[in-house]
Amino acid sequence: MCGICGVFSINPNSPVESDVLQQMVDSIIHRGPDEEGVFCQPQIGLGSRRLSIIDVAGGQQPIPNENKTIWIVFNGEIYNFAELRRFLHTKGHQFQTHSDTEVILHLYEEFGTECLEYLDGIFAFAIWDSTKQHLFIARDRLGIKPLYYAEVNQQFIFGSELKALLKHPEISREIDLVALNEYLSFEYVPTPRSIFKDIRRLEPGYFLVYGAKGLIKQKFWDVTLARSELRPPMHWRDYSKQLYQRMRSIVQKELVSDVPVGVLLSGGVDSSIIAALMTELYPGRVKSFSIGFQESSFDESPYARMVAKHLQTEHHELILTSKMAADLVPDIVDFLDEPFGDSSLIPTFLLSKFASNQVKVVLGGDGGDELFAGYPTLTAHRLIEYYERVIPWSIRTNIAPFLLDWLPVSFNNISFDFRLRRFLSGRGVPHLTRHHRWLGSFTDDEKDLLLQDWLKPVLQDTYTQVYRHIRECDAMLPLNQILYADMKMYLEGDILFKVDRASMATSLEVRVPFLNRDLVSFVSDIPFDLKLRRLSGKYLLKKSFKHMLPSEIFKRPKKGFNMPVAHWISGELRNLTLDLLSKDRIERQGLFNYSYIHSLIDEHFKQQRDNRKLLWTLLVFQLWHSRYVSN
C-alpha cells in the first residue's frame, strides 16, 4: 500500500521540476513511511511513498521493465499476483522483484490497457510508456484506492491525495462552486469533481491515457443488476452455500501478506462475519480491534466483545471519551484535503491509529450494506410508501408537522425525534432524491437560506450526479437503482474515502473483502428480495452465516459508526463553533448568510432543534477553508 504522484509535461517550455516532484512526494509521506522513490526526467516525473506489505525487502518503486522503457508507481494490493506472475513467466517476462507492482507492469507489456481485466485487487497506478510517449492511469472497480488528476498548461498532474497536486505551482485553489453545493447536500464531493475547480477524481472502473493526443478516458468495468431482476423466485438456501464458499475463498486470498494481518471489529454483522472467517483461515490467533464510547447510546463495544469472546480472538479495545475525540476535531484537516462531513471519520481515524500500533494490515466489513441492502434508509423507502398510502393527505400536511414541533429534542444517537424528522423530510420527494436527503445534510430549501444570492444558480445541479448514474444503471426496480447509486456515490465518496484517509493517515492498510470483484459479481445476480426481505435487510447474508456467530449479533438494531457531535457542538466544541461560524468570518468569506447560520446555532444551543448535521457540515468546511483557502 502506497501513495503515488507524478507529472507528465508535453509542453517543452515547462519541464518537470524535480524539487516540485519531491514536495509532492513529501506531502503524502504518511501513506508510505517505509520508503521513498522518485524517477524524474525532463518530460516525466513519478513519485512514490511505500508501506511495505508484499516483498518487504524488495519492491521499491518506481519499478521499470527490463530495458527501462516503461515505469510504474502503484498504490494497492493485487491478490492474484502470484498466478499472474507464473503466467507471465511462461511468456518470457523476467522479474527483478517479488512484488505485485511489477506483475502489473509486465501484464501491461503483454496486454496493454486490457491488463485491467485480469487484476483482482484494489489499485490506483500510473504507467509511463516511453515508447508510446503516454501515461496510462487506472483506478480499481469500486474506487477503494483514490486518484486525483489535473490537466493544466499541457501538463498532466496526478496523485493519491489532493494535497499532492496542490504542491504544483500550476494548480489553482479556486473553489468549484458546484462541488461546494454538492458537499453541502451529500456531506462529500461526488466523483468526478473535487472541491477545487482544476482538479478531478478518476472514476472507479475507469482508466485514462494522456499523451500527444490529449486525454482519453474510458470505462473498463461496471456493476450490472439487471440479471437479478430476471431470475425466478428462489429460496435463500439456493444461494447460501455458494455465498459462504465465495466469502471464505475471498477472505483467504485477501490475507496474503508478508506482515501480520488483523481485523477491525465493530460488533456489526459485516465485520463479525469477516472476523469469523479469518479465525478459520488465519495461521495463528487473530488480533481484533474495536472502539467504544462513554456515551451509551453510541457505544457498540459490548457486541464487539461478545463476538471476540465467541471467536476467541486476541481482542484490543479503545474506549473513547468526548474530550479525546473533540480535541482531535481542529486537527482533522491535517489528513483531510477536502471538506468531509461524515463525523465517523474521527473514530475511524482513532481506531486505525490504535490498530496500527500492532499490525500493518487489517480486514474490514465495509461494502456489506451496499451489496446486501443493509441500510435502514432502504427500509424507510418502503415504510414511507405505506405512510403515504395509509395516512390521509390532510393529516400528513397539517397535523404531522405540528406534532413534530411538540416532540422533545434529544441529542442521543439516532433518537426518535431525529429519526422521525428525517423520515418525514422524505415525504412527497422522488425516491432517488429522498434517499440522498436522508443520508446527507442540507436540503435545497435550507441551502436557499444558507447561500448568498450570487451562489444560488448552482442549486439546480444538486442531484445531477445521482441521475447520471441512474441513466447508466441497467436495473428497473427503484430500490435496486438506489443500491447502484449507493455503490457509485455514497460507498465511494463517503465510506471508502473515509476509510482511506483515516487509515492511511496512520499508515495502516485496510482491505475490504465484501468489495472483491468476485463477490460483487456474484451478489449482483441475486434477486433483490433475498437482500431486503420485507423490512429485514441483509436477509441472505444473515441466513448464510448465522451458524458462525451469536444470535444477538443478527438481531441487534443497526446503529452505524456515529459520533455525539450534537453534544460536542453545545459543549466541548462550543467555542470553536462560535469562532469558525462567527459573523466576521462568514461575511469575509462571502459564501453564506450569517443570519441563517446564527439561527441554526441558537436553536441548537437552546436544544429547540437538533441541527447537528447542518452545523457539523459547516464546521468541517470552515476548518478546511481556513487551512487550504484562507491561508
Side-chain angles (χ1 to χ4, degrees), residues 175 589 591 620-631:
I175 292 177
Q589 227 171 22
L591 299 171
V620 174
F621 178 80
Q622 293 298 96
L623 283 167
W624 170 84
H625 192 277
S626 65
R627 171 69 63 86
Y628 289 94
V629 180
S630 299
N631 287 342

Side-chain angles (χ1 to χ4, degrees), residues 399-596:
I399 298 177
F402 176 77
L403 292 175
L404 277 180
D405 291 336
W406 285 89
L407 274 178
V409 175
S410 169
F411 285 171
N412 288 337
N413 188 25
I414 319 179
S415 60
F416 176 73
D417 70 291
F418 179 82
R419 281 182 292 167
L420 187 58
R421 289 180 195 280
R422 301 294 288 185
F423 177 77
L424 292 180
S425 72
R427 62 189 187 276
V429 177
H431 67 279
L432 292 169
T433 305
R434 176 203 303 151
H435 185 71
H436 292 280
R437 178 177 288 194
W438 280 339
L439 289 172
S441 190
F442 286 88
T443 66
D444 280 351
D445 289 342
E446 289 164 338
K447 286 186 295 184
D448 191 55
L449 297 171
L450 173 69
L451 297 176
Q452 293 198 3
D453 288 343
W454 71 274
L455 257 174
K456 290 181 181 178
V458 301
L459 289 174
Q460 63 185 329
D461 296 319
T462 299
Y463 298 105
T464 298
Q465 292 298 329
V466 179
Y467 288 97
R468 178 178 72 84
H469 288 305
I470 295 308
R471 286 194 298 272
E472 296 174 354
C473 176
D474 60 7
M476 300 300 293
L477 293 175
L479 292 185
N480 239 353
Q481 293 175 349
I482 287 172
L483 283 189
Y484 180 91
D486 268 356
M487 279 189 261
K488 295 295 181 177
M489 294 187 66
Y490 186 67
L491 175 66
E492 187 260 340
D494 187 305
I495 303 299
L496 296 176
F497 178 95
K498 171 188 69 179
V499 172
D500 177 79
R501 287 299 186 278
S503 62
M504 293 309 295
T506 66
S507 304
L508 179 74
E509 175 183 322
V510 178
R511 298 177 181 177
V512 280
F514 276 107
L515 297 180
N516 185 277
R517 65 171 188 178
D518 294 338
L519 186 66
V520 172
S521 176
F522 173 71
V523 175
S524 297
D525 285 354
I526 295 173
F528 185 82
D529 69 346
L530 291 182
K531 300 172 186 176
L532 180 63
R533 174 64 61 91
R534 300 184 184 89
L535 300 179
S536 177
K538 298 182 184 173
Y539 181 76
L540 172 64
L541 186 67
K542 292 175 181 177
K543 288 286 190 180
S544 301
F545 290 91
K546 64 180 180 180
H547 64 286
M548 299 185 73
L549 294 162
S551 60
E552 293 89 342
I553 300 303
F554 298 103
K555 295 175 182 176
R556 54 166 294 197
K558 183 177 178 62
K559 283 189 175 184
F561 211 14
N562 297 312
M563 293 296 287
V565 294
H567 293 288
W568 296 351
I569 289 168
S570 295
E572 289 90 343
L573 297 179
R574 185 186 184 102
N575 290 337
L576 182 66
T577 301
L578 291 173
D579 176 37
L580 290 172
L581 299 177
S582 67
K583 184 176 182 180
D584 180 60
R585 279 182 184 262
I586 296 301
E587 290 182 349
R588 190 167 63 244
Q589 227 171 22
L591 299 171
F592 309 131
N593 290 316
Y594 174 73
S595 60
Y596 176 63

Side-chain angles (χ1 to χ4, degrees), residues 136-174:
F136 167 50
I137 288 185
R139 191 176 179 203
D140 63 60
R141 294 164 178 82
L142 276 302
I144 298 162
K145 302 318 298 176
L147 195 62
Y148 292 85
Y149 69 92
E151 186 182 6
V152 183
N153 192 24
Q154 293 184 291
Q155 295 179 91
F156 185 88
I157 307 156
F158 71 90
S160 294
E161 296 186 16
L162 188 150
K163 62 173 66 71
L165 281 76
L166 293 177
K167 293 297 182 182
H168 196 284
E170 297 281 356
I171 298 292
S172 163
R173 298 197 180 205
E174 180 184 354

Side-chain angles (χ1 to χ4, degrees), residues 236-476:
W236 66 266
R237 288 190 180 89
D238 296 327
Y239 288 100
S240 179
K241 186 176 180 180
Q242 290 184 68
L243 177 59
Y244 170 78
Q245 290 173 340
R246 282 178 184 264
M247 282 291 298
R248 194 176 192 276
S249 173
I250 286 164
V251 169
Q252 185 168 35
K253 66 182 173 182
E254 295 204 10
L255 286 173
V256 61
S257 173
D258 294 335
V259 296
V261 181
V263 62
L264 299 181
L265 181 60
S266 69
V269 170
D270 303 332
S271 65
S272 298
I273 288 172
I274 299 299
L277 291 169
M278 282 183 70
T279 57
E280 290 185 354
L281 299 165
Y282 191 68
R285 196 175 178 194
V286 173
K287 291 185 178 183
S288 57
F289 303 90
S290 71
I291 196 164
F293 301 94
Q294 282 188 331
E295 293 84 355
S296 59
S297 69
F298 292 84
D299 188 31
E300 297 185 286
S301 60
Y303 293 106
R305 269 181 246 127
M306 180 191 301
V307 172
K309 183 178 180 181
H310 180 80
L311 299 176
Q312 296 185 320
T313 65
E314 181 187 317
H315 192 54
H316 304 268
E317 183 179 278
L318 173 68
I319 300 298
L320 188 61
T321 67
S322 283
K323 187 177 187 312
M324 287 169 59
D327 285 348
L328 178 65
V329 171
D331 300 322
I332 60 175
V333 289
D334 288 346
F335 54 90
L336 274 186
D337 45 26
E338 287 197 87
F340 182 70
D342 185 343
S343 63
S344 64
L345 172 81
I346 291 174
T348 304
F349 169 78
L350 292 170
L351 178 58
S352 298
K353 187 176 182 181
F354 181 57
S356 68
N357 292 326
Q358 298 203 43
V359 294
K360 271 190 173 184
V361 181
V362 290
L363 270 57
D366 296 301
D369 287 310
E370 288 78 10
L371 282 189
F372 292 95
Y375 286 122
T377 46
L378 291 164
T379 305
H381 283 292
R382 287 189 167 168
L383 287 174
I384 205 165
E385 290 173 3
Y386 302 149
Y387 171 79
E388 293 185 335
R389 278 203 307 265
V390 174
I391 305 299
W393 176 85
S394 58
I395 294 177
R396 299 198 311 266
T397 304
N398 301 315
I399 298 177
F402 176 77
L403 292 175
L404 277 180
D405 291 336
W406 285 89
L407 274 178
V409 175
S410 169
F411 285 171
N412 288 337
N413 188 25
I414 319 179
S415 60
F416 176 73
D417 70 291
F418 179 82
R419 281 182 292 167
L420 187 58
R421 289 180 195 280
R422 301 294 288 185
F423 177 77
L424 292 180
S425 72
R427 62 189 187 276
V429 177
H431 67 279
L432 292 169
T433 305
R434 176 203 303 151
H435 185 71
H436 292 280
R437 178 177 288 194
W438 280 339
L439 289 172
S441 190
F442 286 88
T443 66
D444 280 351
D445 289 342
E446 289 164 338
K447 286 186 295 184
D448 191 55
L449 297 171
L450 173 69
L451 297 176
Q452 293 198 3
D453 288 343
W454 71 274
L455 257 174
K456 290 181 181 178
V458 301
L459 289 174
Q460 63 185 329
D461 296 319
T462 299
Y463 298 105
T464 298
Q465 292 298 329
V466 179
Y467 288 97
R468 178 178 72 84
H469 288 305
I470 295 308
R471 286 194 298 272
E472 296 174 354
C473 176
D474 60 7
M476 300 300 293

Side-chain angles (χ1 to χ4, degrees), residues 172-227:
S172 163
R173 298 197 180 205
E174 180 184 354
I175 292 177
D176 184 328
L177 298 178
V178 175
L180 170 60
N181 172 56
E182 290 177 328
Y183 165 73
L184 293 170
S185 284
F186 299 115
E187 300 179 357
Y188 60 90
V189 178
T191 300
R193 286 191 175 88
S194 82
I195 192 63
F196 290 119
K197 202 168 184 178
D198 277 354
I199 302 174
R200 289 288 182 267
R201 285 196 202 96
L202 183 60
E203 297 96 320
Y206 274 76
F207 72 84
L208 64 80
V209 175
Y210 185 82
K213 295 181 180 179
L215 190 153
I216 300 170
K217 188 168 66 172
Q218 185 174 322
K219 182 189 292 187
F220 70 87
W221 180 88
D222 200 0
V223 63
T224 175
L225 295 169
R227 289 191 296 270

